Amino acid sequence: MFEIELKFQIPEEKLDALIKAFQRKNDQTLHLQAKYYDTPSFTLSEHSISLRQRLENDHWVQTLKLPTEQKLKRAEFEQDLGTDEIELDLQNYLENKAINKNIQSLLTQNKNFLEVQFQTDIERKLSNFKFQNSQIEVSYDQGQIIAQHQTLALHELEFELKQGTVQDLISFILPRVKRYGLWLDVRSKAQQGFQLAQNIQHNPVQSQTALTLTSKDSPETALKKMFNNCLNHLLPNSTAIASGHFNSKHVHQARVAIRRLRSAIKTFSGWSLHIDPTWQTQLTELFRQLGSARDLDVIREELLPQLEAVGAPKFKLPESETTDTQKLTKLFRSFNFNYLVLSLIQFIEQDSNEKTKTSVHKLALKKIGKLHHKIQLDAQNYLNLDIEARHKTRKNLKRLRYSLEFVSSLCDKKAVKKYLKSIKPAQESLGLYNDFIVAEEILTKLVKTEPQVWFALGWIAAEKQRVLQQSQQDLLDFAQISTLQ
């Protein structure tokens, strides 16, 4: 019912070598022609649901795929239709107790409006491997998606765990990722098809979603849920960047997802004995490499309009967006990034055996209380701190917010809402102050070649002092708030 598969894109120069490497005596070749159904307003797609009828050589199969809490897992319900093409039939899904009633209600409401929105025509080469104690199916898909008068070429490699452990699956995949330069792609054919059908050029930007923990979760289980939530946030954006079809919003959300993941590790890593200490180092370096591109985006999108409004002379920024785009695409296609993600997936999927009598709620509030106290101490002396110490205060404030958001489902909703509201003014003013520091550093380097930058630097210096005073006051206001109980 649940399928666990990881899909990768293949560098063109590695394609021939990879196909030869996966050839086996018992290989299968399938000709897959599928029709994907949705309403004219794409109601199913909006709920991450796909419904298709597919001709597999000479056999028809109807499949409903539903989302789960994990991006890399899908609930799949197949129905054998035989050799004859028949009308779409939803009755089995409406009577299936394993399908959520809300999904069934959605299907019932829209069943009379479903029509073919796009089709796929794929040649699939299947190879089966026994690795350790697991059975792994490797499929190479080559073909196209057809929507109205548009087509999109497909070349994809999928690894599906048919039997065994995710740990074996990851161990099998990693050497191939390194050897052939494969990069993880979380877009399904359905998602790509629906985008093509709607003529959407860029991949959707993924923001963070709420995380639900339960009082029965062990600390390690809770930590794994946090990691999974962060990957659900990160991977759609990293896929967009790796594909080369992205904008500054994808970069921003990727940064936020990485920062949240770093916060989870820094605050709650003691909840598991299986945390790899190199993850934090790798995430810090990844964030740093993303930082320069984001810093320039902040200047372009937020600072320049303000300078223009006050009549500042125009000037050119140091790097072109094209260069940034190429660097970022390469970054998210790199082995280091894909190795990190696969390692995190392996941690999330491994069995949890650690037990504790202390509730996750109490453990979490203790961690949050310590962070709260640190920020209270900084607030009293903020103006006397050096720039690096102020930067650390800002990071602690962000970490406090993210840490609370991770465990907010275990706390009183009104208390959490009030507490997060009290954090917001200080976080915004400290963030703006940091933006001015970064902009000042970047623009100072341009003075020799762009003397008109002096006006901007003068304006930034004045604004920076104003925001610094505001930051002190916002921190003092926050320091008066009691920590959550």
Side-chain angles (χ1 to χ4, degrees):
M1 183 172 135
F2 286 93
E3 60 173 11
I4 301 176
E5 63 181 28
L6 295 169
K7 184 175 70 176
F8 294 83
Q9 294 297 328
I10 313 158
E12 190 174 345
E13 67 275 13
K14 300 284 188 177
L15 191 55
D16 290 341
L18 182 139
I19 292 172
K20 288 179 182 177
F22 281 107
Q23 284 180 343
R24 312 273 285 182
K25 288 182 179 179
N26 299 325
D27 280 357
Q28 284 182 277
T29 299
L30 297 175
H31 187 197
L32 308 175
Q33 295 173 291
K35 302 179 294 183
Y36 285 77
Y37 291 84
D38 207 335
T39 67
S41 58
F42 299 95
T43 305
L44 299 188
S45 175
E46 286 179 4
H47 291 82
S48 300
I49 298 169
S50 72
L51 177 62
R52 76 177 183 223
Q53 287 184 334
R54 187 167 72 183
L55 180 62
E56 302 180 359
N57 285 341
D58 59 355
H59 209 83
W60 284 96
V61 177
Q62 183 173 294
T63 305
L64 175 71
K65 290 191 178 185
L66 305 176
T68 69
E69 289 184 358
Q70 298 188 29
K71 282 281 182 189
L72 303 173
K73 283 185 180 179
R74 301 271 284 172
E76 184 176 286
F77 301 88
E78 286 193 348
Q79 181 181 351
D80 192 328
L81 303 180
T83 56
D84 297 325
E85 184 177 1
I86 65 172
E87 294 292 321
L88 194 65
D89 183 7
L90 305 183
Q91 198 58 38
N92 281 351
Y93 309 135
L94 301 180
E95 296 174 355
N96 192 325
K97 293 181 180 180
I99 296 177
N100 184 281
K101 288 184 178 180
N102 291 332
I103 299 293
Q104 291 176 331
S105 177
L106 186 71
L107 292 174
T108 300
Q109 292 169 18
N110 292 281
K111 64 181 180 179
N112 294 327
F113 306 103
L114 296 172
E115 56 190 47
V116 177
Q117 296 297 340
F118 69 93
Q119 300 180 60
T120 59
D121 190 353
I122 303 291
E123 183 182 83
R124 170 171 292 176
K125 294 185 184 297
L126 280 177
S127 304
N128 286 288
F129 294 82
K130 183 171 176 57
F131 181 77
Q132 307 289 11
N133 297 313
S134 298
Q135 197 71 32
I136 297 165
E137 182 181 84
V138 180
S139 60
Y140 167 62
D141 287 355
Q142 179 179 7
Q144 60 183 350
I145 299 174
I146 307 110
Q148 298 172 357
H149 301 296
Q150 300 185 81
T151 61
L152 176 67
L154 286 178
H155 295 276
E156 301 174 341
L157 190 70
E158 290 185 0
F159 299 85
E160 183 173 354
L161 183 64
K162 306 301 285 187
Q163 183 182 339
T165 67
V166 173
Q167 287 71 35
D168 284 349
L169 178 65
I170 301 295
S171 297
F172 179 81
I173 290 173
L174 274 172
R176 279 87 182 170
V177 171
K178 187 172 186 178
R179 189 176 305 143
Y180 300 107
L182 307 177
W183 54 272
L184 187 63
D185 185 347
V186 296
R187 298 170 298 177
S188 65
K189 290 181 181 67
Q191 180 185 335
Q192 294 180 79
F194 287 125
Q195 285 179 214
L196 186 66
Q198 297 172 80
N199 200 29
I200 298 173
Q201 300 299 317
H202 279 133
N203 298 296
V205 176
Q206 178 66 55
S207 300
Q208 74 182 73
T209 55
L211 171 62
T212 301
L213 302 178
T214 72
S215 58
K216 293 181 180 179
D217 287 334
S218 69
E220 186 176 52
T221 297
L223 183 58
K224 289 180 178 182
K225 286 185 176 182
M226 294 177 198
F227 280 23
N228 181 64
N229 182 266
C230 292
L231 286 188
N232 287 347
H233 185 186
L234 172 62
L235 292 180
N237 295 304
S238 65
T239 292
I241 298 170
S243 73
H245 300 291
F246 69 97
N247 56 42
S248 61
K249 292 180 181 178
H250 292 101
V251 178
H252 173 62
Q253 288 299 329
R255 276 170 56 91
V256 174
I258 293 166
R259 191 185 287 120
R260 292 177 66 230
L261 193 47
R262 291 170 66 193
S263 295
I265 293 173
K266 193 160 188 178
T267 304
F268 303 112
S269 62
W271 289 4
S272 173
L273 298 175
H274 301 103
I275 297 297
D276 186 333
T278 66
W279 289 343
Q280 188 69 272
T281 305
Q282 292 173 70
L283 287 165
T284 300
E285 177 59 21
L286 180 62
F287 190 84
R288 186 193 66 77
Q289 292 185 63
L290 270 178
S292 59
R294 177 60 186 165
D295 292 340
L296 289 168
D297 285 336
V298 168
I299 295 175
R300 288 188 189 101
E301 297 170 12
E302 299 179 21
L303 188 58
L304 290 184
Q306 294 182 63
L307 287 168
E308 187 176 341
V310 297
K314 293 184 178 180
F315 54 87
K316 292 181 180 180
L317 287 172
E319 293 185 42
S320 70
E321 291 189 38
T322 303
T323 303
D324 291 343
T325 298
Q326 292 170 349
K327 285 182 179 178
L328 292 177
T329 294
K330 187 176 180 181
L331 176 64
F332 285 105
R333 291 186 180 189
S334 70
F335 174 72
N336 286 345
F337 173 73
N338 284 276
Y339 176 82
L340 171 62
V341 169
L342 291 172
S343 299
L344 292 169
I345 293 170
Q346 183 167 322
F347 167 71
I348 292 167
E349 293 293 337
Q350 70 187 18
D351 294 334
S352 293
N353 298 314
E354 297 175 22
K355 295 181 180 180
T356 178
K357 293 181 180 179
T358 309
S359 72
V360 172
H361 183 213
K362 288 183 179 179
L363 291 172
L365 290 186
K366 187 176 180 180
K367 295 283 187 182
I368 287 167
K370 285 183 178 180
L371 263 176
H372 182 101
H373 183 61
K374 280 184 183 179
I375 295 165
Q376 281 181 317
L377 293 177
D378 287 348
Q380 304 301 324
N381 197 38
Y382 184 70
L383 292 180
N384 295 322
L385 298 178
D386 59 27
I387 290 176
E388 189 57 38
R390 290 173 188 163
H391 182 54
K392 188 173 182 180
T393 301
R394 182 183 71 88
K395 290 196 292 185
N396 280 336
L397 197 63
K398 277 184 178 288
R399 182 155 69 94
L400 175 63
R401 174 192 150 197
Y402 293 140
S403 298
L404 177 56
E405 286 175 343
F406 284 131
V407 299
S408 62
S409 60
L410 300 172
C411 306
D412 179 76
K413 289 183 179 180
K414 288 184 179 179
V416 169
K417 187 176 180 180
K418 182 180 178 182
Y419 190 82
L420 289 175
K421 187 178 179 180
S422 71
I423 292 175
K424 191 174 181 180
Q427 185 177 325
E428 289 182 349
S429 57
L430 267 67
L432 184 56
Y433 177 74
N434 184 68
D435 287 344
F436 283 135
I437 293 288
V438 172
E440 189 174 51
E441 184 179 337
I442 291 173
L443 297 187
T444 299
K445 296 175 183 178
L446 299 180
V447 168
K448 290 184 179 179
T449 56
E450 301 275 342
Q452 57 270 44
V453 165
W454 279 116
F455 183 97
L457 287 171
W459 181 82
I460 287 172
E463 285 295 295
K464 190 175 67 172
Q465 288 305 309
R466 179 187 66 79
V467 173
L468 178 61
Q469 296 294 326
Q470 184 63 51
S471 299
Q472 162 82 348
Q473 187 56 54
D474 290 338
L475 279 172
L476 288 172
D477 291 344
F478 172 72
Q480 302 304 311
I481 303 295
S482 299
T483 189
L484 289 173
Q485 301 297 323

